Amino acid sequence: MSEPQGSEGTTRRLPVIEKDNPGDPGTGPGRSAPAVPDPPPTADGPGHRFWSARRIPAAVVAVLLAVVAGAFLYDIAAVRAGRPGMQWRRSLAEQLARRPLDDTWVLVGAGVTVLLGLWLLVLAVTPGLRAVLPMRQERPDVRAGLHRDAAALVLRDRAMEVAGVQSVRVRAHRRRADVRAVSHFRPLDEVRTDLDTVLAEAVGGLGLVRPPALSVRVRRPGRKG
């Protein structure tokens, strides 16, 4: 997953070949202008998480607001036109006028409203996309991320290359990768040591800003029957 941050500088410059110019002593048949060197890679970026578009919560809130606003606007237009107000609005106004502020249903409604408001605030200030791990930023105009399932698949494939490993289950989290391996031969300590070495190299090769810590466990297969 990549996120372009600009439109300039996204294409690597190729060597420029100039045409022969007899009047130019610096060029001639078979000669070319020196290639423009690539800019050096920038330092690793801050590694901020990717922000979610929050399309589903935004769509739900927009639909609810549109329905409520449309109902109130229709009722106001009907009253202005000389028609009686809708029954639900009159009942709601009567209930709100009769019930005190410490009524149970009033408190429940206020609590639900506060929880919904807090939920919307949390969605607004948090990035989301917890399943995407930020990768090191080699260029200032390109950001990349690796899905946790893809990282777990890479670690599982590398772990299966270790001699003695029969099966592996990997669960990748934001800060930790849990590896559960089953070994059907070789001493467990040797398999564990080889897994630590291979998986540490694999985690370093993922190119993540914050490589997850490894938690490796090795056991023998259970008895059948």
Side-chain angles (χ1 to χ4, degrees):
M1 176 179 182
S2 62
E3 177 183 339
Q5 298 179 348
S7 58
E8 297 180 359
T10 57
T11 304
R12 177 178 294 181
R13 293 185 178 181
L14 299 177
V16 179
I17 307 298
E18 294 183 354
K19 295 183 179 180
D20 295 339
N21 186 0
D24 188 357
T27 60
R31 295 183 180 180
S32 62
V36 179
D38 293 334
T42 59
D44 293 343
H48 297 308
R49 286 165 51 190
F50 292 88
W51 280 80
S52 173
R54 312 286 192 190
R55 293 184 177 89
I56 295 179
V60 171
V61 173
V63 170
L64 291 178
L65 291 177
V67 170
V68 173
F72 276 104
L73 288 176
Y74 178 81
D75 187 68
I76 293 174
V79 172
R80 292 288 185 178
R83 299 179 181 179
M86 301 179 69
Q87 180 63 32
W88 65 268
R89 187 178 68 85
R90 289 183 294 176
S91 300
L92 179 61
E94 292 176 0
Q95 292 291 333
L96 293 177
R98 284 203 314 263
R99 294 181 181 273
L101 294 179
D102 58 351
D103 184 78
T104 302
W105 288 107
V106 174
L107 295 177
V108 170
V112 171
T113 304
V114 170
L115 291 178
L116 289 176
L118 291 177
W119 177 61
L120 293 177
L121 287 176
V122 170
L123 292 180
V125 300
T126 54
L129 292 181
R130 299 176 61 87
V132 179
L133 304 175
M135 301 180 68
R136 290 192 294 267
Q137 189 172 355
E138 300 294 337
R139 291 182 175 272
D141 54 349
V142 176
R143 289 189 63 202
L146 182 64
H147 201 280
R148 289 190 302 189
D149 291 342
L153 181 62
V154 172
L155 297 180
R156 186 187 68 85
D157 291 344
R158 292 297 303 274
M160 289 297 297
E161 297 175 358
V162 176
V165 174
Q166 182 180 16
S167 62
V168 181
R169 182 171 58 89
V170 180
R171 295 186 62 183
H173 307 276
R174 287 181 56 201
R175 303 189 182 279
R176 190 183 73 259
D178 296 328
V179 181
R180 303 294 179 262
V182 177
S183 175
H184 57 296
F185 71 94
R186 294 183 65 196
L188 295 182
D189 292 340
E190 295 182 4
V191 176
R192 167 66 186 272
T193 301
D194 291 346
L195 282 175
D196 288 339
T197 303
V198 170
L199 293 178
E201 181 182 356
V203 168
L206 294 177
L208 300 177
V209 174
R210 299 182 181 90
L214 289 172
S215 175
V216 182
R217 294 183 182 178
V218 185
R219 62 178 179 87
R220 293 298 185 192
R223 296 181 180 180
K224 297 183 179 179

